[in-house]
Amino acid sequence: MTHSERILILDFGAQYTQLIARRVREGGVYAEIHPFNFPIESIRELNPIGIILSGGPSSVYADGAPHSDPAIFDLGVPVLGICYGLQLLAYQLGGSVNSSAKKEFGPAQLIIDSNSDGIFRGIPEESRVWMSHGDSLTRPPEGFEVIAHTTNAPICAVADLKRNIYGVQFHPEVHHTTHGGEILKNFVFNICHAHGGWNAQAFIESAKKDIREKVGDGKVICGLSGGVDSSVLAVLLHEAIGDQALCIHIDNGLMRKDESSQVVKMFRDTYKIPLDFVDASPMFLSRLAGVTDPEKKRKIIGTTFIEVFEPEAKRFSDAKWLAQGTLYPDVIESVSFKGPSVTIKSHHNVGGLPERMNMKLIEPFRELFKDEVRAVGRELGLPKEFIDRHPFPGPGLAVRVLGEVTEERCNILREADEIFIEELHNAAQYDQIWQAFTVLLPISSVGVMGDERTYENVCAVRAVTSTDGMTADWSRVPYEVLAKVSNRIINEVRGINRVVYDISSKPPATIEWE
């Protein structure tokens, strides 16, 4: 997909790199992330209007530290270095960087010294910023002036006004920096002179045009899980090429309650999209029998999905394209050299299916974050209950039924989960939460129901708030709502006699339990 203006972000391994791109895009300007060692020739081909150097965990003077090509400073393109990015540009341009006597991790008070017309235009003279560094810039390169400081960092921001090169020691992309979004917008619009206009509607028109040009009069198969990404993808394809788009929905026995029937009804009846439905529940559940390791579960589900999907897709022998709802974070993780994260768990996707079936891949969302896909879905008119639905893991209930996965345990969890979600909707809490779900634990506890002693399953209730899923805090769901949820689950779901609430944040925990 072509972009008339773009901000290029070079990734040095910071956990916040994706947030930089999101903040820039929120201002209506397309931003994309590449590894720190992205070749200078490729940068020239992309022709960015500005370059941002991300933070990172290394010391610029250490052996093997990630360094980008210093030729980026000779492109005549504005550059903004953030944290490690500031230290790198200073180091490469002749300044001095040393280990700090006082390391800074957390909030600090930024005091602006000058440059009211640059990146600090409209920013209060004092404001809170978020620090995360063990090294400091001790001498700026020639041609740079110090434009801000904190108590612990005499050089907290620098600028070379002639070359439009800026650096800040703090992280403007995180919400803890009170005016961080404005600082990034100042760079993008005041320094790089962006015009904006990159939004859901612009994306849809561009994506439909791309799809038509790629596909021509060919047919496209879309695996429709019923989640946000695949649902929006199916509707986008249908709008672009009509009945040339064929959807396959596989019920793996690990879906939410009545989910498959809702998917079939909506896409067949409402959207009139050609849909092939396959109930493969017995096969998936039999393969998972006796398996307790979460990574093995994921691999079994991924392999079985391909086994079911492949022959089904071959029934449509004239289809030469396979559509996937791959999102930008997946793309970033696959290309970053010292990127945003190591693999915590394997991704659930169709793996090498396109090559095996001699099909070409089409991924319209590979440049989008999750919230951007939701925005596209709203623009396309999908129902709110589909667009605003909380994320659901690819392996489904297999990673929420801890221990062995059986049909009985999945049914128990489905009933508990439906009660939890229903009560969150009733209390107007659902839309305030990033993700909410229940987990069936592989332990039993003693209880008393009536005059009888019980020994049944423990159910954990999980709800988190987040902006992107990269970090998350446990949601402060009102006690009266949790009390009602617990009471209903224990009374209405046979097989559960105890409910606990998960109050772990990410990090150190993950959002899902497996």
Side-chain angles (χ1 to χ4, degrees), residues 419-430 481 484 488:
I419 289 171
F420 184 32
I421 300 304
E422 184 180 297
E423 289 303 331
L424 289 176
H425 278 297
N426 291 343
Q429 290 288 311
Y430 186 84
V481 177
K484 193 168 185 182
R488 282 195 60 193

Side-chain angles (χ1 to χ4, degrees), residues 243-501:
D243 287 353
Q244 290 171 245
L246 310 165
C247 290
I248 298 175
H249 174 69
I250 298 170
D251 183 352
N252 58 11
L254 307 167
M255 315 284 282
R256 289 168 280 204
K257 188 176 180 183
D258 299 327
E259 188 163 15
S260 284
S261 59
Q262 290 167 5
V263 169
V264 171
K265 186 175 190 312
M266 176 171 152
F267 288 93
R268 272 188 187 162
D269 300 348
T270 306
Y271 286 99
K272 311 299 182 187
I273 294 176
L275 174 63
D276 184 35
F277 170 64
V278 184
D279 182 3
S281 304
M283 180 186 291
F284 278 88
L285 291 171
S286 66
R287 299 273 179 89
L288 290 167
V291 179
T292 58
D293 178 78
E295 194 62 19
K296 284 184 181 175
K297 290 180 188 177
R298 290 176 183 275
K299 287 178 179 172
I300 288 170
I301 292 165
T303 303
T304 307
F305 177 85
I306 290 174
E307 284 185 38
V308 175
F309 191 90
E310 186 174 11
E312 203 63 31
K314 281 183 177 175
R315 291 177 53 216
F316 307 100
S317 56
D318 54 344
K320 303 300 180 190
W321 296 84
L322 180 67
Q324 278 187 196
T326 306
L327 299 188
Y328 196 42
D330 299 327
V331 176
I332 296 167
E333 285 196 11
S334 68
V335 300
S336 289
F337 179 65
K338 290 193 176 183
S341 64
V342 294
T343 300
I344 304 299
K345 57 192 176 187
S346 59
H347 286 286
H348 176 64
N349 53 39
V350 297
L353 197 55
E355 294 81 6
R356 286 174 52 152
M357 297 180 62
N358 196 28
M359 297 178 81
K360 298 175 185 175
L361 200 56
I362 187 165
E363 300 172 304
F365 300 153
R366 63 181 286 111
E367 294 180 345
L368 300 187
F369 289 103
K370 188 81 170 187
D371 58 326
E372 292 169 334
V373 174
R374 292 187 198 276
V376 168
R378 290 187 194 99
E379 197 70 38
L380 290 170
L382 269 82
K384 184 179 186 301
E385 59 267 25
F386 266 83
I387 293 305
D388 293 335
R389 206 171 194 183
H390 292 174
F392 189 63
L397 298 184
V399 292
R400 292 180 179 174
V401 172
L402 273 56
E404 185 179 9
V405 179
T406 65
E407 184 176 11
E408 180 188 10
R409 288 175 67 75
C410 285
N411 286 336
I412 290 172
L413 188 58
R414 269 188 272 267
E415 296 298 329
D417 199 68
E418 185 182 45
I419 289 171
F420 184 32
I421 300 304
E422 184 180 297
E423 289 303 331
L424 289 176
H425 278 297
N426 291 343
Q429 290 288 311
Y430 186 84
D431 291 338
Q432 315 303 314
I433 294 169
W434 166 265
Q435 195 170 359
F437 55 92
T438 53
V439 181
L440 195 63
L441 306 188
I443 55 174
S444 299
S445 74
V446 173
V448 177
M449 290 187 179
D451 293 325
E452 292 185 8
R453 180 182 182 276
T454 62
Y455 190 61
E456 292 179 333
N457 295 286
V458 177
C459 173
V461 173
R462 177 79 157 144
V464 297
T465 55
S466 178
T467 56
D468 46 42
M470 292 170 63
T471 61
D473 193 15
W474 62 278
S475 181
R476 272 60 170 177
V477 177
Y479 289 159
E480 58 270 22
V481 177
L482 291 175
K484 193 168 185 182
V485 168
S486 174
N487 188 56
R488 282 195 60 193
I489 288 175
I490 291 171
N491 280 287
E492 296 176 31
V493 182
R494 189 171 181 84
I496 294 175
N497 69 354
R498 189 179 298 269
V499 174
V500 297
Y501 189 48

Side-chain angles (χ1 to χ4, degrees), residues 118-228:
I119 58 171
F120 292 143
R121 179 188 290 182
I123 308 300
E125 192 172 301
E126 292 194 26
S127 64
R128 189 186 70 174
V129 295
W130 189 259
M131 294 288 204
S132 181
H133 67 100
D135 293 334
S136 292
L137 176 58
T138 51
R139 180 176 57 82
E142 189 176 337
F144 282 78
E145 64 172 295
V146 178
I147 58 174
H149 69 277
T150 68
T151 305
N152 284 338
I155 305 175
C156 193
V158 297
D160 181 334
L161 302 181
K162 286 185 180 178
R163 291 195 287 174
N164 275 330
I165 301 175
Y166 291 81
V168 294
Q169 185 60 73
F170 56 90
H171 288 275
E173 69 273 24
V174 302
H175 74 271
H176 306 293
T177 297
T178 51
H179 296 278
E182 297 159 62
I183 292 169
L184 287 173
K185 282 182 181 177
N186 279 338
F187 176 72
V188 171
F189 290 99
N190 297 343
I191 311 301
C192 301
H193 304 297
H195 297 96
W198 191 78
N199 54 34
Q201 185 55 51
F203 170 83
I204 290 168
E205 294 310 312
S206 177
K208 289 199 292 191
K209 181 172 177 286
D210 280 0
I211 291 167
R212 291 187 193 113
E213 287 176 357
K214 275 185 182 177
V215 173
D217 59 0
K219 291 192 175 179
V220 181
I221 290 176
C222 173
L224 178 60
S225 70
V228 173

